[in-house]
Amino acid sequence: PAQFGDYPLAYVVYYDEPGRQREHKVIPSFPMNSVPVLPAKFEVPMQLVGFEMPDWRFGRGEAIVLLLYWQATERIDRDFTIYAHLIDSSGMMVGGFDSQPKGGQLPTTRWAPGQFVVHPVVIPVSEDLVPGSDYAIAIGVYFYPTMERISLATQPGIPSTIDQVLLGPITIE
């Protein structure tokens, strides 16, 4: 893990959609929750074990930068796509990022059991968004050829209808 909060002064440097270098100052501690609490196991042998963000506040026209920490629990037989969608209070997607891990450089079929995988995400924030603190980030997994979303694992024999982890609250300024 990057351990953003361990440094008295730090910046996350990223590239926006046009390819310009940008930076976001790291705020060492902020009120960010995940629902469900991590680690979140999916119905395929992978789990979201953690995440890091430099801040919970982002301006319109900026980007939300986060690191997702994944782990394979055993061999994975298909290549899955990971999504991170900015959603509003009604659950509508207002920004997003979908990609195979590390931009396709490390597909899930190449993950070794127990391997820790860092997946960087940059979600552009539209200039048109209404400022507020009622946004969240939905994290999930799907199989691209069928667009089938993968549910979170529950107790054996009990089907799950939940297919994403919510991170929030996110404030758009």
Side-chain angles (χ1 to χ4, degrees):
Q3 307 280 337
F4 292 153
D6 289 355
Y7 305 97
L9 180 62
Y11 290 86
V12 171
V13 177
Y14 66 95
Y15 292 91
D16 64 11
E17 284 185 338
R20 295 177 303 226
Q21 184 174 319
R22 302 290 190 135
E23 62 182 40
H24 194 96
K25 185 177 180 182
V26 173
I27 304 302
S29 65
F30 54 88
M32 181 67 62
N33 297 310
S34 72
V35 177
V37 174
L38 300 181
K41 297 176 183 172
F42 286 81
E43 289 184 343
V44 295
M46 61 190 288
Q47 59 184 353
L48 179 62
V49 295
F51 68 96
E52 286 189 87
M53 296 176 63
D55 197 351
W56 78 97
R57 299 165 301 174
F58 299 90
R60 294 182 296 171
E62 293 182 351
I64 297 171
V65 179
L66 69 149
L67 299 176
L68 299 176
Y69 300 126
W70 295 90
Q71 188 174 44
T73 56
E74 57 187 72
R75 276 272 168 225
I76 301 172
D77 64 356
R78 296 189 289 172
D79 288 325
F80 292 99
T81 298
I82 296 168
Y83 69 86
H85 295 163
L86 179 63
I87 59 173
D88 64 15
S89 60
S90 69
M92 186 169 137
M93 184 176 91
V94 294
F97 179 91
D98 293 43
S99 172
Q100 285 196 1
K102 294 195 172 188
Q105 299 299 308
L106 188 59
T108 56
T109 53
R110 291 188 26 216
W111 293 10
Q115 181 178 1
F116 185 78
V117 176
V118 180
H119 181 59
V121 172
V122 178
I123 304 171
V125 177
S126 170
E127 293 276 359
D128 301 334
L129 285 184
V130 176
S133 59
D134 54 351
Y135 293 92
I137 297 174
I139 308 292
V141 176
Y142 63 93
F143 184 56
Y144 181 76
T146 63
M147 300 303 286
E148 171 196 6
R149 285 192 176 191
I150 308 303
S151 295
L152 291 170
T154 59
Q155 297 178 10
I158 300 174
S160 176
T161 58
I162 301 169
D163 61 8
Q164 60 192 7
V165 175
L166 295 178
L167 308 178
I170 302 292
T171 298
I172 304 300
E173 299 178 332

